[in-house]
Amino acid sequence: MKKALIICNAGMSSSMIAQKVTQFFEGRDLPIEVEATTVTKGKDIIEKDQYDLYLLSPQVKMASENLTKSAQAKNKPLLNIEPEAYLPTEESTIKLAMQIFPVFKEDLKREKAEREGK
């Protein structure tokens, strides 16, 4: 299971978006889980190294430099979510999923081959 974390301002809209994107991946049998937290907790969570990818919501770009340094120290990617991918619509859910999936694509292919004994 790959885990991504959305870091946003208050965590309410991002929690809903995280749930929709997780459901999108589940519906395609892709083991990717997306969760959400607030920017005030972001650095501490990154330092615990429990996620494979960090995503910044459009409204917290001001924290990008600090959080990027923390993610780099753990050798984890941190991406800025495109504003059009951060809306509670089906189209935006797909856009965000397509921003996340390429980060995990090769690992998921390798893990699947290992499970299948290839």
Side-chain angles (χ1 to χ4, degrees), residues 72-93:
Q72 287 173 340
K74 296 296 181 181
N75 200 29
K76 299 291 172 76
L78 185 141
L79 304 174
N80 289 307
I81 298 173
E82 301 168 14
E84 59 273 3
Y86 197 71
L87 300 168
T89 66
E90 185 175 343
E91 182 179 342
S92 293
T93 298

mmCIF file with all atom_site columns, all heavy atoms in Angstrom, residues 72-93:
data_model
loop_
_atom_site.group_PDB
_atom_site.id
_atom_site.type_symbol
_atom_site.label_atom_id
_atom_site.label_alt_id
_atom_site.label_comp_id
_atom_site.label_asym_id
_atom_site.label_entity_id
_atom_site.label_seq_id
_atom_site.pdbx_PDB_ins_code
_atom_site.Cartn_x
_atom_site.Cartn_y
_atom_site.Cartn_z
_atom_site.occupancy
_atom_site.B_iso_or_equiv
_atom_site.pdbx_formal_charge
_atom_site.auth_seq_id
_atom_site.auth_comp_id
_atom_site.auth_asym_id
_atom_site.auth_atom_id
_atom_site.pdbx_PDB_model_num
ATOM 1   N N   . GLN A 1 72 ? 12.571  16.355 1.678   1.00 0.00 ? 72 GLN A N   1
ATOM 2   C CA  . GLN A 1 72 ? 13.851  15.983 1.064   1.00 0.00 ? 72 GLN A CA  1
ATOM 3   C C   . GLN A 1 72 ? 14.752  15.286 2.068   1.00 0.00 ? 72 GLN A C   1
ATOM 4   O O   . GLN A 1 72 ? 15.472  14.347 1.708   1.00 0.00 ? 72 GLN A O   1
ATOM 5   C CB  . GLN A 1 72 ? 14.547  17.222 0.491   1.00 0.00 ? 72 GLN A CB  1
ATOM 6   C CG  . GLN A 1 72 ? 13.900  17.732 -0.772  1.00 0.00 ? 72 GLN A CG  1
ATOM 7   C CD  . GLN A 1 72 ? 14.495  19.052 -1.250  1.00 0.00 ? 72 GLN A CD  1
ATOM 8   O OE1 . GLN A 1 72 ? 15.132  19.785 -0.494  1.00 0.00 ? 72 GLN A OE1 1
ATOM 9   N NE2 . GLN A 1 72 ? 14.262  19.360 -2.517  1.00 0.00 ? 72 GLN A NE2 1
ATOM 10  N N   . ALA A 1 73 ? 14.724  15.712 3.317   1.00 0.00 ? 73 ALA A N   1
ATOM 11  C CA  . ALA A 1 73 ? 15.538  15.073 4.355   1.00 0.00 ? 73 ALA A CA  1
ATOM 12  C C   . ALA A 1 73 ? 15.138  13.607 4.542   1.00 0.00 ? 73 ALA A C   1
ATOM 13  O O   . ALA A 1 73 ? 15.956  12.783 4.955   1.00 0.00 ? 73 ALA A O   1
ATOM 14  C CB  . ALA A 1 73 ? 15.404  15.832 5.677   1.00 0.00 ? 73 ALA A CB  1
ATOM 15  N N   . LYS A 1 74 ? 13.893  13.273 4.235   1.00 0.00 ? 74 LYS A N   1
ATOM 16  C CA  . LYS A 1 74 ? 13.408  11.888 4.329   1.00 0.00 ? 74 LYS A CA  1
ATOM 17  C C   . LYS A 1 74 ? 13.415  11.196 2.966   1.00 0.00 ? 74 LYS A C   1
ATOM 18  O O   . LYS A 1 74 ? 12.930  10.077 2.826   1.00 0.00 ? 74 LYS A O   1
ATOM 19  C CB  . LYS A 1 74 ? 11.981  11.865 4.911   1.00 0.00 ? 74 LYS A CB  1
ATOM 20  C CG  . LYS A 1 74 ? 11.902  12.374 6.336   1.00 0.00 ? 74 LYS A CG  1
ATOM 21  C CD  . LYS A 1 74 ? 12.683  11.486 7.263   1.00 0.00 ? 74 LYS A CD  1
ATOM 22  C CE  . LYS A 1 74 ? 12.602  11.971 8.700   1.00 0.00 ? 74 LYS A CE  1
ATOM 23  N NZ  . LYS A 1 74 ? 13.386  11.122 9.591   1.00 0.00 ? 74 LYS A NZ  1
ATOM 24  N N   . ASN A 1 75 ? 13.946  11.891 1.957   1.00 0.00 ? 75 ASN A N   1
ATOM 25  C CA  . ASN A 1 75 ? 14.008  11.372 0.593   1.00 0.00 ? 75 ASN A CA  1
ATOM 26  C C   . ASN A 1 75 ? 12.622  11.014 0.054   1.00 0.00 ? 75 ASN A C   1
ATOM 27  O O   . ASN A 1 75 ? 12.423  9.965  -0.561  1.00 0.00 ? 75 ASN A O   1
ATOM 28  C CB  . ASN A 1 75 ? 14.951  10.167 0.516   1.00 0.00 ? 75 ASN A CB  1
ATOM 29  C CG  . ASN A 1 75 ? 15.426  9.908  -0.892  1.00 0.00 ? 75 ASN A CG  1
ATOM 30  O OD1 . ASN A 1 75 ? 15.530  10.820 -1.708  1.00 0.00 ? 75 ASN A OD1 1
ATOM 31  N ND2 . ASN A 1 75 ? 15.711  8.658  -1.198  1.00 0.00 ? 75 ASN A ND2 1
ATOM 32  N N   . LYS A 1 76 ? 11.657  11.892 0.325   1.00 0.00 ? 76 LYS A N   1
ATOM 33  C CA  . LYS A 1 76 ? 10.282  11.696 -0.125  1.00 0.00 ? 76 LYS A CA  1
ATOM 34  C C   . LYS A 1 76 ? 9.863   12.874 -1.004  1.00 0.00 ? 76 LYS A C   1
ATOM 35  O O   . LYS A 1 76 ? 10.207  14.025 -0.722  1.00 0.00 ? 76 LYS A O   1
ATOM 36  C CB  . LYS A 1 76 ? 9.318   11.601 1.070   1.00 0.00 ? 76 LYS A CB  1
ATOM 37  C CG  . LYS A 1 76 ? 9.601   10.439 1.995   1.00 0.00 ? 76 LYS A CG  1
ATOM 38  C CD  . LYS A 1 76 ? 9.303   9.108  1.346   1.00 0.00 ? 76 LYS A CD  1
ATOM 39  C CE  . LYS A 1 76 ? 9.745   7.920  2.137   1.00 0.00 ? 76 LYS A CE  1
ATOM 40  N NZ  . LYS A 1 76 ? 8.944   7.561  3.254   1.00 0.00 ? 76 LYS A NZ  1
ATOM 41  N N   . PRO A 1 77 ? 9.083   12.612 -2.047  1.00 0.00 ? 77 PRO A N   1
ATOM 42  C CA  . PRO A 1 77 ? 8.625   13.702 -2.898  1.00 0.00 ? 77 PRO A CA  1
ATOM 43  C C   . PRO A 1 77 ? 7.531   14.545 -2.245  1.00 0.00 ? 77 PRO A C   1
ATOM 44  O O   . PRO A 1 77 ? 6.726   14.027 -1.461  1.00 0.00 ? 77 PRO A O   1
ATOM 45  C CB  . PRO A 1 77 ? 8.094   12.990 -4.143  1.00 0.00 ? 77 PRO A CB  1
ATOM 46  C CG  . PRO A 1 77 ? 7.775   11.607 -3.699  1.00 0.00 ? 77 PRO A CG  1
ATOM 47  C CD  . PRO A 1 77 ? 8.677   11.303 -2.535  1.00 0.00 ? 77 PRO A CD  1
ATOM 48  N N   . LEU A 1 78 ? 7.530   15.813 -2.577  1.00 0.00 ? 78 LEU A N   1
ATOM 49  C CA  . LEU A 1 78 ? 6.481   16.735 -2.148  1.00 0.00 ? 78 LEU A CA  1
ATOM 50  C C   . LEU A 1 78 ? 6.049   17.504 -3.392  1.00 0.00 ? 78 LEU A C   1
ATOM 51  O O   . LEU A 1 78 ? 6.877   18.107 -4.074  1.00 0.00 ? 78 LEU A O   1
ATOM 52  C CB  . LEU A 1 78 ? 6.995   17.690 -1.078  1.00 0.00 ? 78 LEU A CB  1
ATOM 53  C CG  . LEU A 1 78 ? 5.928   18.622 -0.493  1.00 0.00 ? 78 LEU A CG  1
ATOM 54  C CD1 . LEU A 1 78 ? 6.136   18.776 0.998   1.00 0.00 ? 78 LEU A CD1 1
ATOM 55  C CD2 . LEU A 1 78 ? 5.961   19.965 -1.175  1.00 0.00 ? 78 LEU A CD2 1
ATOM 56  N N   . LEU A 1 79 ? 4.769   17.435 -3.708  1.00 0.00 ? 79 LEU A N   1
ATOM 57  C CA  . LEU A 1 79 ? 4.224   18.092 -4.897  1.00 0.00 ? 79 LEU A CA  1
ATOM 58  C C   . LEU A 1 79 ? 3.199   19.136 -4.504  1.00 0.00 ? 79 LEU A C   1
ATOM 59  O O   . LEU A 1 79 ? 2.475   18.957 -3.518  1.00 0.00 ? 79 LEU A O   1
ATOM 60  C CB  . LEU A 1 79 ? 3.541   17.061 -5.805  1.00 0.00 ? 79 LEU A CB  1
ATOM 61  C CG  . LEU A 1 79 ? 4.363   15.865 -6.274  1.00 0.00 ? 79 LEU A CG  1
ATOM 62  C CD1 . LEU A 1 79 ? 3.477   14.900 -7.040  1.00 0.00 ? 79 LEU A CD1 1
ATOM 63  C CD2 . LEU A 1 79 ? 5.534   16.319 -7.119  1.00 0.00 ? 79 LEU A CD2 1
ATOM 64  N N   . ASN A 1 80 ? 3.117   20.180 -5.291  1.00 0.00 ? 80 ASN A N   1
ATOM 65  C CA  . ASN A 1 80 ? 2.045   21.161 -5.137  1.00 0.00 ? 80 ASN A CA  1
ATOM 66  C C   . ASN A 1 80 ? 0.840   20.677 -5.929  1.00 0.00 ? 80 ASN A C   1
ATOM 67  O O   . ASN A 1 80 ? 0.973   20.338 -7.109  1.00 0.00 ? 80 ASN A O   1
ATOM 68  C CB  . ASN A 1 80 ? 2.483   22.532 -5.644  1.00 0.00 ? 80 ASN A CB  1
ATOM 69  C CG  . ASN A 1 80 ? 3.492   23.174 -4.737  1.00 0.00 ? 80 ASN A CG  1
ATOM 70  O OD1 . ASN A 1 80 ? 3.266   23.296 -3.537  1.00 0.00 ? 80 ASN A OD1 1
ATOM 71  N ND2 . ASN A 1 80 ? 4.621   23.572 -5.281  1.00 0.00 ? 80 ASN A ND2 1
ATOM 72  N N   . ILE A 1 81 ? -0.304  20.637 -5.299  1.00 0.00 ? 81 ILE A N   1
ATOM 73  C CA  . ILE A 1 81 ? -1.529  20.238 -5.996  1.00 0.00 ? 81 ILE A CA  1
ATOM 74  C C   . ILE A 1 81 ? -1.948  21.383 -6.906  1.00 0.00 ? 81 ILE A C   1
ATOM 75  O O   . ILE A 1 81 ? -2.018  22.542 -6.483  1.00 0.00 ? 81 ILE A O   1
ATOM 76  C CB  . ILE A 1 81 ? -2.665  19.923 -4.997  1.00 0.00 ? 81 ILE A CB  1
ATOM 77  C CG1 . ILE A 1 81 ? -2.268  18.747 -4.110  1.00 0.00 ? 81 ILE A CG1 1
ATOM 78  C CG2 . ILE A 1 81 ? -3.970  19.630 -5.739  1.00 0.00 ? 81 ILE A CG2 1
ATOM 79  C CD1 . ILE A 1 81 ? -3.260  18.460 -2.985  1.00 0.00 ? 81 ILE A CD1 1
ATOM 80  N N   . GLU A 1 82 ? -2.239  21.044 -8.134  1.00 0.00 ? 82 GLU A N   1
ATOM 81  C CA  . GLU A 1 82 ? -2.722  22.042 -9.082  1.00 0.00 ? 82 GLU A CA  1
ATOM 82  C C   . GLU A 1 82 ? -4.101  22.525 -8.626  1.00 0.00 ? 82 GLU A C   1
ATOM 83  O O   . GLU A 1 82 ? -4.929  21.719 -8.202  1.00 0.00 ? 82 GLU A O   1
ATOM 84  C CB  . GLU A 1 82 ? -2.810  21.432 -10.475 1.00 0.00 ? 82 GLU A CB  1
ATOM 85  C CG  . GLU A 1 82 ? -1.491  20.898 -10.992 1.00 0.00 ? 82 GLU A CG  1
ATOM 86  C CD  . GLU A 1 82 ? -1.647  20.038 -12.229 1.00 0.00 ? 82 GLU A CD  1
ATOM 87  O OE1 . GLU A 1 82 ? -2.727  20.051 -12.852 1.00 0.00 ? 82 GLU A OE1 1
ATOM 88  O OE2 . GLU A 1 82 ? -0.680  19.344 -12.554 1.00 0.00 ? 82 GLU A OE2 1
ATOM 89  N N   . PRO A 1 83 ? -4.351  23.840 -8.684  1.00 0.00 ? 83 PRO A N   1
ATOM 90  C CA  . PRO A 1 83 ? -5.648  24.361 -8.204  1.00 0.00 ? 83 PRO A CA  1
ATOM 91  C C   . PRO A 1 83 ? -6.862  23.670 -8.824  1.00 0.00 ? 83 PRO A C   1
ATOM 92  O O   . PRO A 1 83 ? -7.842  23.394 -8.135  1.00 0.00 ? 83 PRO A O   1
ATOM 93  C CB  . PRO A 1 83 ? -5.602  25.846 -8.573  1.00 0.00 ? 83 PRO A CB  1
ATOM 94  C CG  . PRO A 1 83 ? -4.149  26.169 -8.581  1.00 0.00 ? 83 PRO A CG  1
ATOM 95  C CD  . PRO A 1 83 ? -3.459  24.922 -9.097  1.00 0.00 ? 83 PRO A CD  1
ATOM 96  N N   . GLU A 1 84 ? -6.783  23.337 -10.104 1.00 0.00 ? 84 GLU A N   1
ATOM 97  C CA  . GLU A 1 84 ? -7.935  22.690 -10.750 1.00 0.00 ? 84 GLU A CA  1
ATOM 98  C C   . GLU A 1 84 ? -8.105  21.237 -10.318 1.00 0.00 ? 84 GLU A C   1
ATOM 99  O O   . GLU A 1 84 ? -9.133  20.626 -10.598 1.00 0.00 ? 84 GLU A O   1
ATOM 100 C CB  . GLU A 1 84 ? -7.844  22.791 -12.281 1.00 0.00 ? 84 GLU A CB  1
ATOM 101 C CG  . GLU A 1 84 ? -6.621  22.184 -12.884 1.00 0.00 ? 84 GLU A CG  1
ATOM 102 C CD  . GLU A 1 84 ? -5.417  23.121 -12.952 1.00 0.00 ? 84 GLU A CD  1
ATOM 103 O OE1 . GLU A 1 84 ? -5.487  24.274 -12.479 1.00 0.00 ? 84 GLU A OE1 1
ATOM 104 O OE2 . GLU A 1 84 ? -4.382  22.678 -13.449 1.00 0.00 ? 84 GLU A OE2 1
ATOM 105 N N   . ALA A 1 85 ? -7.132  20.687 -9.612  1.00 0.00 ? 85 ALA A N   1
ATOM 106 C CA  . ALA A 1 85 ? -7.238  19.321 -9.086  1.00 0.00 ? 85 ALA A CA  1
ATOM 107 C C   . ALA A 1 85 ? -7.684  19.324 -7.624  1.00 0.00 ? 85 ALA A C   1
ATOM 108 O O   . ALA A 1 85 ? -7.780  18.280 -7.010  1.00 0.00 ? 85 ALA A O   1
ATOM 109 C CB  . ALA A 1 85 ? -5.896  18.603 -9.219  1.00 0.00 ? 85 ALA A CB  1
ATOM 110 N N   . TYR A 1 86 ? -7.959  20.513 -7.102  1.00 0.00 ? 86 TYR A N   1
ATOM 111 C CA  . TYR A 1 86 ? -8.296  20.632 -5.676  1.00 0.00 ? 86 TYR A CA  1
ATOM 112 C C   . TYR A 1 86 ? -9.712  21.163 -5.490  1.00 0.00 ? 86 TYR A C   1
ATOM 113 O O   . TYR A 1 86 ? -9.955  22.125 -4.780  1.00 0.00 ? 86 TYR A O   1
ATOM 114 C CB  . TYR A 1 86 ? -7.271  21.537 -4.983  1.00 0.00 ? 86 TYR A CB  1
ATOM 115 C CG  . TYR A 1 86 ? -7.275  21.391 -3.488  1.00 0.00 ? 86 TYR A CG  1
ATOM 116 C CD1 . TYR A 1 86 ? -6.782  20.247 -2.885  1.00 0.00 ? 86 TYR A CD1 1
ATOM 117 C CD2 . TYR A 1 86 ? -7.781  22.387 -2.672  1.00 0.00 ? 86 TYR A CD2 1
ATOM 118 C CE1 . TYR A 1 86 ? -6.788  20.099 -1.511  1.00 0.00 ? 86 TYR A CE1 1
ATOM 119 C CE2 . TYR A 1 86 ? -7.793  22.255 -1.289  1.00 0.00 ? 86 TYR A CE2 1
ATOM 120 C CZ  . TYR A 1 86 ? -7.296  21.110 -0.725  1.00 0.00 ? 86 TYR A CZ  1
ATOM 121 O OH  . TYR A 1 86 ? -7.307  20.972 0.632   1.00 0.00 ? 86 TYR A OH  1
ATOM 122 N N   . LEU A 1 87 ? -10.626 20.514 -6.151  1.00 0.00 ? 87 LEU A N   1
ATOM 123 C CA  . LEU A 1 87 ? -12.045 20.860 -6.049  1.00 0.00 ? 87 LEU A CA  1
ATOM 124 C C   . LEU A 1 87 ? -12.826 19.570 -5.786  1.00 0.00 ? 87 LEU A C   1
ATOM 125 O O   . LEU A 1 87 ? -12.389 18.495 -6.194  1.00 0.00 ? 87 LEU A O   1
ATOM 126 C CB  . LEU A 1 87 ? -12.537 21.502 -7.347  1.00 0.00 ? 87 LEU A CB  1
ATOM 127 C CG  . LEU A 1 87 ? -11.834 22.798 -7.776  1.00 0.00 ? 87 LEU A CG  1
ATOM 128 C CD1 . LEU A 1 87 ? -12.210 23.149 -9.207  1.00 0.00 ? 87 LEU A CD1 1
ATOM 129 C CD2 . LEU A 1 87 ? -12.190 23.919 -6.819  1.00 0.00 ? 87 LEU A CD2 1
ATOM 130 N N   . PRO A 1 88 ? -13.959 19.652 -5.121  1.00 0.00 ? 88 PRO A N   1
ATOM 131 C CA  . PRO A 1 88 ? -14.723 18.436 -4.814  1.00 0.00 ? 88 PRO A CA  1
ATOM 132 C C   . PRO A 1 88 ? -15.605 17.970 -5.981  1.00 0.00 ? 88 PRO A C   1
ATOM 133 O O   . PRO A 1 88 ? -16.805 17.792 -5.851  1.00 0.00 ? 88 PRO A O   1
ATOM 134 C CB  . PRO A 1 88 ? -15.568 18.855 -3.601  1.00 0.00 ? 88 PRO A CB  1
ATOM 135 C CG  . PRO A 1 88 ? -15.790 20.321 -3.813  1.00 0.00 ? 88 PRO A CG  1
ATOM 136 C CD  . PRO A 1 88 ? -14.521 20.833 -4.463  1.00 0.00 ? 88 PRO A CD  1
ATOM 137 N N   . THR A 1 89 ? -14.973 17.812 -7.151  1.00 0.00 ? 89 THR A N   1
ATOM 138 C CA  . THR A 1 89 ? -15.708 17.343 -8.332  1.00 0.00 ? 89 THR A CA  1
ATOM 139 C C   . THR A 1 89 ? -15.058 16.068 -8.850  1.00 0.00 ? 89 THR A C   1
ATOM 140 O O   . THR A 1 89 ? -13.889 15.784 -8.556  1.00 0.00 ? 89 THR A O   1
ATOM 141 C CB  . THR A 1 89 ? -15.680 18.398 -9.462  1.00 0.00 ? 89 THR A CB  1
ATOM 142 O OG1 . THR A 1 89 ? -14.321 18.541 -9.917  1.00 0.00 ? 89 THR A OG1 1
ATOM 143 C CG2 . THR A 1 89 ? -16.223 19.734 -9.000  1.00 0.00 ? 89 THR A CG2 1
ATOM 144 N N   . GLU A 1 90 ? -15.788 15.315 -9.636  1.00 0.00 ? 90 GLU A N   1
ATOM 145 C CA  . GLU A 1 90 ? -15.238 14.081 -10.197 1.00 0.00 ? 90 GLU A CA  1
ATOM 146 C C   . GLU A 1 90 ? -14.052 14.379 -11.107 1.00 0.00 ? 90 GLU A C   1
ATOM 147 O O   . GLU A 1 90 ? -13.035 13.686 -11.064 1.00 0.00 ? 90 GLU A O   1
ATOM 148 C CB  . GLU A 1 90 ? -16.327 13.332 -10.966 1.00 0.00 ? 90 GLU A CB  1
ATOM 149 C CG  . GLU A 1 90 ? -15.861 11.981 -11.465 1.00 0.00 ? 90 GLU A CG  1
ATOM 150 C CD  . GLU A 1 90 ? -16.971 11.184 -12.114 1.00 0.00 ? 90 GLU A CD  1
ATOM 151 O OE1 . GLU A 1 90 ? -18.156 11.488 -11.916 1.00 0.00 ? 90 GLU A OE1 1
ATOM 152 O OE2 . GLU A 1 90 ? -16.624 10.228 -12.830 1.00 0.00 ? 90 GLU A OE2 1
ATOM 153 N N   . GLU A 1 91 ? -14.164 15.411 -11.898 1.00 0.00 ? 91 GLU A N   1
ATOM 154 C CA  . GLU A 1 91 ? -13.070 15.786 -12.795 1.00 0.00 ? 91 GLU A CA  1
ATOM 155 C C   . GLU A 1 91 ? -11.800 16.133 -12.010 1.00 0.00 ? 91 GLU A C   1
ATOM 156 O O   . GLU A 1 91 ? -10.692 15.714 -12.361 1.00 0.00 ? 91 GLU A O   1
ATOM 157 C CB  . GLU A 1 91 ? -13.478 16.973 -13.661 1.00 0.00 ? 91 GLU A CB  1
ATOM 158 C CG  . GLU A 1 91 ? -12.416 17.400 -14.654 1.00 0.00 ? 91 GLU A CG  1
ATOM 159 C CD  . GLU A 1 91 ? -12.856 18.576 -15.514 1.00 0.00 ? 91 GLU A CD  1
ATOM 160 O OE1 . GLU A 1 91 ? -14.059 18.867 -15.605 1.00 0.00 ? 91 GLU A OE1 1
ATOM 161 O OE2 . GLU A 1 91 ? -11.959 19.205 -16.096 1.00 0.00 ? 91 GLU A OE2 1
ATOM 162 N N   . SER A 1 92 ? -11.959 16.875 -10.918 1.00 0.00 ? 92 SER A N   1
ATOM 163 C CA  . SER A 1 92 ? -10.803 17.234 -10.094 1.00 0.00 ? 92 SER A CA  1
ATOM 164 C C   . SER A 1 92 ? -10.215 16.019 -9.381  1.00 0.00 ? 92 SER A C   1
ATOM 165 O O   . SER A 1 92 ? -8.994  15.923 -9.220  1.00 0.00 ? 92 SER A O   1
ATOM 166 C CB  . SER A 1 92 ? -11.200 18.300 -9.073  1.00 0.00 ? 92 SER A CB  1
ATOM 167 O OG  . SER A 1 92 ? -11.508 19.506 -9.739  1.00 0.00 ? 92 SER A OG  1
ATOM 168 N N   . THR A 1 93 ? -11.072 15.100 -8.969  1.00 0.00 ? 93 THR A N   1
ATOM 169 C CA  . THR A 1 93 ? -10.597 13.861 -8.351  1.00 0.00 ? 93 THR A CA  1
ATOM 170 C C   . THR A 1 93 ? -9.691  13.111 -9.324  1.00 0.00 ? 93 THR A C   1
ATOM 171 O O   . THR A 1 93 ? -8.614  12.632 -8.950  1.00 0.00 ? 93 THR A O   1
ATOM 172 C CB  . THR A 1 93 ? -11.782 12.972 -7.926  1.00 0.00 ? 93 THR A CB  1
ATOM 173 O OG1 . THR A 1 93 ? -12.552 13.679 -6.955  1.00 0.00 ? 93 THR A OG1 1
ATOM 174 C CG2 . THR A 1 93 ? -11.316 11.644 -7.355  1.00 0.00 ? 93 THR A CG2 1
#
